[in-house]
Amino acid sequence: MMRAMRRRKMAAMALVAGLLTGGATAGGAISPAAAGAAEESYAPAAMWYNHQAEEQFLALTNQVRASVGVGGLIRLPALDNYARAHAVWMAQTGLLQHSNINSLLGPYGAVAENISYGWTVESMEQGLAASPPHFANMTNPGLPYVGVGVVWADGVLWTVHVYAA
């Protein structure tokens, strides 16, 4: 229990440190180790998909889109699968890092990705909406499709939102 709490605290410190130094927006990985966490490898004790959180993210994102006059997103199973797979990878590695989203080009003409981790859907959604590049992805009328993946691991939500056209 103490180990998991320490890991969560270090992960939060790493996220703040990364955001302050630009690590998250520059495409760099943010991990508990980045903030001086123990050198041990990160592996969650328990992990599962959180479908209710996925639906909450979709509803909140659609509210943001509606607030600027953009239509709601259409959820696609193939994009959900991609988003879930990357959310699992982030939870397993403890790294907040973008995927190789360009691998989706071909089936889709345009793609974008938002990633986050935290403790509540609401706080994570507010953080994404407060970030101009993430807000632009959320409200882009040229990206009508979405895949949402949320994994709960050791008390932390990891999420990936993949937008496509």
Side-chain angles (χ1 to χ4, degrees), residues 4-20:
M5 288 174 49
R6 179 172 178 240
R7 227 183 355 236
R8 284 191 297 254
K9 183 176 180 181
M10 296 308 284
M13 290 171 38
L15 177 60
V16 170
L19 291 173
L20 292 175

Side-chain angles (χ1 to χ4, degrees), residues 12 23 26 32 38 48 69 95 122 135 163:
W48 62 87
L95 297 173
E122 294 81 7
F135 182 81
Y163 304 92

Side-chain angles (χ1 to χ4, degrees), residues 15-74:
L15 177 60
V16 170
L19 291 173
L20 292 175
T21 62
T25 58
I30 299 174
S31 72
E39 296 172 11
E40 64 196 70
S41 64
Y42 180 86
M47 177 173 43
W48 62 87
Y49 294 118
N50 189 321
H51 300 289
Q52 181 180 8
E54 291 175 355
E55 290 296 326
Q56 286 179 287
F57 274 117
L58 179 62
L60 291 171
T61 301
N62 278 334
Q63 286 177 10
V64 171
R65 288 173 69 92
S67 75
V68 296
V70 177
L73 292 162
I74 301 164

Side-chain angles (χ1 to χ4, degrees), residues 58-155:
L58 179 62
L60 291 171
T61 301
N62 278 334
Q63 286 177 10
V64 171
R65 288 173 69 92
S67 75
V68 296
V70 177
L73 292 162
I74 301 164
R75 201 162 170 196
L76 297 180
L79 293 176
D80 281 347
N81 291 339
Y82 183 92
R84 287 176 182 146
H86 191 62
V88 166
W89 179 87
M90 291 192 311
Q92 287 175 334
T93 62
L95 297 173
L96 182 67
Q97 183 174 340
H98 284 280
S99 71
N100 179 14
I101 193 73
N102 289 335
S103 67
L104 291 174
L105 292 174
Y108 303 98
V111 293
E113 178 180 67
N114 287 349
I115 60 173
S116 183
Y117 77 102
W119 293 268
T120 70
V121 170
E122 294 81 7
S123 66
M124 293 164 67
E125 181 76 11
Q126 288 171 359
L128 290 168
S131 163
H134 295 100
F135 182 81
N137 289 343
M138 296 166 73
T139 59
N140 186 337
L143 298 173
Y145 304 110
V146 71
V148 181
V150 179
V151 175
W152 182 260
D154 289 344

